[in-house]
Amino acid sequence: MQPLCAKAARSISCPCQVQVDVENLQRQVISIGMVTVMNRTALIAAIAVLAYGPAFADFEIEDARTASQQVEMEIVNSISVGSVRSGDIRSEHSFGVNYGAFRFWDTGFAVEIENRQGDTFDLGAIEWSNNFQIVGSGEGEAPSPYAVSLYSAWNFNLDGSEDITFTVGPVFEVVSGPTSVVTNTFFEIPIGEDGATSFDYAMGVMYDVGGGLDVGVEIHGEIEQVFDGAPSGNDQEHFAGPALDYEFVVDDGEVDFHFGTFIGLTDATPDVGVAANLNLGF
């Protein structure tokens, strides 16, 4: 360690250099402060929009990779824009919490609030979901080029329809450089009622452009009564459109904001669907 007088002497002999260092330090502090404020402002704005905006849970794409010992809070939102038949769901909110119980298993609970055309917002269902990863690396680990999981969910409906529905199916993910592809293929089976099984699917193709931002396209759809007189193609619901995903860090948590705008592809599909989903991971 050098004497303080020597340090002071160097500081006095080189005042310009000291001034430059101080200015650089000030600029760095201001820059860090601005980024923190912007991230927190974006988070607050996203929560404000999502908490009060309408939602439709079918616009969510489940991940194939599980996250061990991680708690995630989710708000899943979307809205159908355009003509909707009276009594059909126009929008739906889902508020949930997931926990990575083990390296291969995520489990979670969610409450769904729905808005049917011509009606008010009502409690639609309580959901218990589980995701078992079968192949590939988990979230936060060195990424493998592919991952496969088995997703299932029990929905205890409170909207006057079937008492219980069981959703099950595989989730596939393939990663090649900055491009990732995730597919969901699920069967929704009514339990204890005479309703027919439906087939729900979703696929997202995203490209990592850097800075926590991914852009791409998604498709979503449903075929009702898939094993018992399924409707013709023009009477099914199918959506496609652009999507973006922005992830950033706030304090010790990760924030993931997902937004998509989808165009209805058939006569039975609403003209436009909008999804806005927020995920907080700790």
Side-chain angles (χ1 to χ4, degrees):
M1 178 178 295
Q2 296 186 1
L4 291 177
C5 58
K7 295 182 179 179
R10 283 204 308 274
S11 299
I12 294 173
S13 61
C14 303
C16 295
Q17 181 63 42
V18 172
Q19 181 65 22
V20 170
D21 291 343
V22 171
E23 290 180 352
N24 287 337
L25 179 59
Q26 289 175 338
R27 283 196 294 267
Q28 292 175 7
V29 171
I30 292 173
S31 176
I32 294 171
M34 290 179 64
V35 170
T36 302
V37 170
M38 290 175 64
N39 283 342
R40 291 186 177 179
T41 302
L43 174 59
I44 294 171
I47 292 174
V49 170
L50 295 174
Y52 295 99
F56 191 78
D58 284 356
F59 286 146
E60 181 183 16
I61 297 182
E62 300 295 340
D63 293 328
R65 302 179 192 272
T66 57
S68 178
Q69 305 300 311
Q70 180 170 323
V71 177
E72 295 183 349
M73 300 176 62
E74 291 183 321
I75 304 175
V76 180
N77 297 328
S78 89
I79 181 172
S80 298
V81 180
S83 60
V84 177
R85 294 172 296 184
S86 178
D88 283 357
I89 296 177
R90 172 172 288 279
S91 63
E92 190 171 284
H93 304 265
S94 176
F95 303 88
V97 177
N98 297 324
Y99 176 65
F102 295 99
R103 157 67 179 77
F104 59 89
W105 174 33
D106 282 351
T107 186
F109 289 89
V111 176
E112 297 177 359
I113 299 175
E114 62 187 29
N115 177 27
R116 295 183 178 272
Q117 179 68 9
D119 201 352
T120 58
F121 288 89
D122 296 310
L123 184 62
I126 297 175
E127 179 186 83
W128 174 39
S129 62
N130 293 278
N131 197 15
F132 295 92
Q133 185 172 345
I134 302 171
V135 177
S137 60
E139 187 173 331
E141 300 176 358
S144 59
Y146 53 84
V148 181
S149 69
L150 179 64
Y151 176 83
S152 65
W154 292 91
N155 282 270
F156 303 90
N157 296 294
L158 306 173
D159 59 1
S161 59
E162 300 93 349
D163 292 336
I164 301 174
T165 56
F166 177 64
T167 301
V168 63
V171 180
F172 298 97
E173 179 179 347
V174 177
V175 178
S176 178
T179 304
S180 62
V181 180
V182 180
T183 62
N184 293 179
T185 50
F186 299 153
F187 292 97
E188 187 175 309
I189 307 167
I191 305 296
E193 293 287 342
D194 296 330
T197 298
S198 64
F199 175 73
D200 299 336
Y201 72 88
M203 182 174 70
V205 181
M206 305 297 288
Y207 183 85
D208 183 359
V209 299
L213 178 64
D214 291 2
V215 297
V217 295
E218 292 181 5
I219 60 173
H220 300 263
E222 178 183 18
I223 303 175
E224 297 180 339
Q225 301 176 337
V226 64
F227 298 126
D228 185 19
S232 62
N234 206 39
D235 293 326
Q236 302 170 6
E237 289 194 0
H238 301 281
F239 291 91
L244 64 85
D245 193 274
Y246 178 54
E247 182 176 324
F248 57 93
V249 176
V250 175
D251 295 331
D252 295 330
E254 294 183 355
V255 181
D256 188 358
F257 179 66
H258 186 84
F259 181 82
T261 302
F262 312 112
I263 305 299
L265 303 179
T266 65
D267 290 344
T269 309
D271 296 335
V272 178
V274 178
N277 307 331
L278 180 68
N279 183 294
L280 310 177
F282 301 95

